[in-house]
Amino acid sequence: MTQIPDAPARQALSGRKAQAARNDELILDAARAVFLADANAPIAAVAERAGVGIGALYRRYPSKEVLLRTLCHDGLHRYQLEADAALRNSDGWQSLVGFLERVVDADVHSLTVHLAGTFAPDESILPAVTCPAAANDEIMRRAQATGRLRPGVTSQDVGLILESCAAISTPDPQRTAQLRRRVLAMLLAGLTVDGELPGPPPEPAEFAWRWRREPGTSVR
């Protein structure tokens, strides 16, 4: 017969799980701040910023590699969620605009682009890297169908827009958010202008290099 824990035991278990969840949130928040500032920072800096013991951190994330992969995976997952939300919008142009605004506001590209190449991707993360491509292409197709998006703009061009916004950084997070939105608005305006774009559009393979780490490199 299965023995059901009494109420105090259930409460203690729940309390431990709740504390573990709080610690995990603290660790991930600290890791985002530490590694976006310096991807080469030691994992001890994350524990210090999170206010948790290094042992507690290692119990959840056994290596810096695992922690970096988790952060990047979270960013990719958020990107896919925003792409899915965009596809639920029947207005093709507003679908694209809202998608870009939400991705910029969430600073998704800082997590994905900045951290890519700092760890060895495993099979678990590769679908999250490749799957958004189909959603991106459909978002762009719908935007083109409205007649408002200039010809020749591709999904890879949108990637460059997002990288440009993510590159903007000031010591004040609120000011950073304002400037990123300002630049995004200017770039979006440029997407509606007639005229031939200079040079060929970027190729998907031009962005693939960041997911390969050179042999012999390591994380601390």
Side-chain angles (χ1 to χ4, degrees), residues 157-188:
D157 288 312
V158 169
L160 292 177
I161 290 173
L162 292 171
E163 289 195 31
S164 299
C165 292
I168 301 168
S169 179
T170 75
D172 182 350
Q174 289 186 334
R175 184 58 178 151
T176 295
Q178 290 176 341
L179 291 174
R180 287 177 176 176
R181 272 299 196 102
R182 178 182 174 86
V183 169
L184 177 60
M186 290 188 284
L187 294 172
L188 283 169

Side-chain angles (χ1 to χ4, degrees), residues 11-165:
Q11 290 174 358
L13 182 62
S14 176
R16 286 195 295 270
K17 286 184 176 180
Q19 183 60 51
R22 285 192 293 270
N23 284 346
D24 193 48
E25 185 175 354
L26 289 172
I27 290 169
L28 290 177
D29 286 345
R32 288 187 190 96
V34 168
F35 293 140
L36 288 183
D38 179 10
N40 293 317
I43 197 169
V46 176
E48 181 179 358
R49 185 180 181 96
V52 302
I54 192 70
L57 190 153
Y58 275 122
R59 280 193 296 274
R60 182 66 181 87
Y61 302 99
S63 69
K64 180 180 176 180
E65 184 104 348
V66 172
L67 184 52
L68 286 168
R69 188 182 299 119
T70 300
L71 286 175
C72 197
H73 206 165
D74 285 352
L76 292 166
H77 179 64
R78 176 63 181 272
Y79 187 91
Q80 183 66 60
L81 289 177
E82 298 301 353
D84 292 341
L87 292 175
R88 291 193 292 271
N89 189 335
S90 59
D91 185 319
W93 177 252
Q94 287 304 317
S95 172
L96 172 63
V97 171
F99 169 63
L100 293 176
E101 289 176 345
R102 293 192 302 274
V103 170
V104 168
D105 288 346
D107 202 14
V108 169
H109 256 55
S110 289
L111 278 178
T112 55
V113 173
H114 188 78
L115 297 182
T118 62
F119 60 90
D122 61 9
E123 292 184 359
S124 68
I125 200 172
L126 293 181
V129 174
T130 58
C131 285
N136 288 345
D137 290 343
E138 180 61 15
I139 291 170
M140 296 301 291
R141 187 195 67 77
R142 294 183 184 184
Q144 290 282 12
T146 68
R148 297 189 62 179
L149 184 63
R150 66 189 301 165
V153 178
T154 70
S155 299
Q156 285 68 48
D157 288 312
V158 169
L160 292 177
I161 290 173
L162 292 171
E163 289 195 31
S164 299
C165 292

